[in-house]
Amino acid sequence: MTTTRSRPPHVAPPRPGALRKVLFTETRLYLRDPLTAFFTLVLPLGLLLILGSAIPGFREPDPSLGGQRVVDTQLPAMMIMLAVATSAFSVIPTVLATYRERGVLRRLSITPASPATLLGAQLVLNLAVALLAAFLTILFGHLVLDTHVPAALPWFVLSFVLGVCALFAIGLSVAAVVPNGRAAGGVGAVVMFPLLFLGGMWLPRELMPETLVRFSDFTPTGAFGQVLRDAWAGAAPQPLHLAVLAAWTLAAGAFAVRFFRWE
């Protein structure tokens, strides 16, 4: 079979409302898979509430974190990053690779709902899930654990958007090269877990060796986790971290566009 690295030939232009219809269908399919909703929404929120409630030290000022409580910045920021990373490295690549493997993208090329429409619907759907995960983390963290809400809200919104764009672009790069849906899950996990470690998921960046912190600064999750924490604490994110997220978005996005195969 000949592969195509760009939009399939003879693709009918999408009709008005095509994205809305495809998005509705994709949302229904998403809600029918309880495991997907669990790992992207329930698990991060559950970890926040369980760890924040079960470990008393997380609710006490921590000198290693500059006197901040773990539940006020570190823990909620990591749970938001976990939710976004799960969508980016697991859900998006698996869905798109499975559709390509089953010929769904190829068949859509001759309908008003083009493959690009399906791709857009997946990105919109997973962005909505990421926004919901962030909202639930802030809301229930404040109600149950009395955590602080992000003090620098405009910076938090900018940091969240840049982080989502960077991780989603990397997820699309994974989807561009994996041969099928089964491989997508494995490759996504290989990419996700080291990046989560570098982002401070299991070991706060303050406790990492200086060399590892400097390396983490240039990773998408290291930059994402830190800008979320900075904004949560009321500080402006470092320009370096914002630039790193923008650079990963552009580089991974260009890679995905160049190598994505519709069939």
Side-chain angles (χ1 to χ4, degrees):
M1 178 182 294
T2 302
T3 59
T4 306
R5 300 188 186 277
S6 59
R7 189 181 177 97
H10 309 300
V11 174
R15 293 176 182 172
L19 176 59
R20 183 175 64 254
K21 294 178 180 178
V22 174
L23 179 59
F24 177 75
T25 300
E26 291 300 302
T27 302
R28 291 178 58 190
L29 293 174
Y30 183 95
L31 295 176
R32 288 178 181 177
D33 184 357
L35 281 179
T36 300
F38 173 80
F39 283 111
T40 54
L41 292 173
V42 179
L43 180 61
L45 180 60
L47 288 175
L48 171 72
L49 300 180
I50 292 172
L51 294 176
S53 301
I55 304 178
F58 281 6
R59 301 190 299 275
E60 301 293 333
D62 189 336
S64 67
L65 300 179
Q68 299 174 352
R69 299 189 306 167
V70 173
V71 296
D72 282 333
T73 56
Q74 170 72 14
L75 190 57
M78 293 303 101
M79 293 306 103
I80 289 177
M81 187 170 68
L82 174 61
V84 175
T86 302
S87 290
F89 301 133
S90 179
V91 178
I92 292 176
T94 300
V95 170
L96 293 180
T98 300
Y99 281 166
R100 182 172 59 228
E101 179 185 10
R102 295 177 178 176
V104 175
L105 299 181
R106 175 172 49 81
R107 291 194 296 271
L108 281 174
S109 65
I110 58 174
T111 71
S114 69
T117 305
L118 177 60
L119 177 60
Q122 274 295 315
L123 293 177
V124 171
L125 172 59
N126 283 279
L127 173 59
V129 171
L131 287 170
L132 179 58
F135 173 76
L136 293 176
T137 298
I138 295 171
L139 176 64
F140 283 94
H142 181 67
L143 293 177
V144 178
L145 302 175
D146 194 30
T147 62
H148 298 161
V149 299
L153 189 57
W155 283 118
F156 177 82
V157 172
L158 175 63
S159 300
F160 179 81
V161 170
L162 282 176
V164 168
C165 289
L167 297 194
F168 278 19
I170 298 172
L172 288 175
S173 296
V174 173
V177 298
V178 293
N180 51 56
R182 296 181 299 278
V187 173
V190 169
V191 173
M192 180 173 73
F193 286 107
L195 285 179
L196 288 178
F197 170 76
L198 291 170
M201 177 65 65
W202 297 286
L203 181 67
R205 281 163 46 90
E206 288 83 356
L207 302 180
M208 293 180 179
E210 182 61 31
T211 302
L212 188 58
V213 172
R214 179 50 54 184
F215 180 77
S216 170
D217 284 334
F218 293 92
T219 66
T221 47
F224 187 25
Q226 191 59 50
V227 294
L228 287 178
R229 290 181 54 193
D230 289 341
W232 220 303
Q238 297 181 33
L240 170 64
H241 294 144
L242 297 177
V244 166
L245 291 175
W248 274 101
T249 300
L250 294 175
F255 180 92
V257 170
R258 173 66 179 83
F259 292 101
F260 193 88
R261 294 175 293 113
W262 294 106
E263 56 181 288

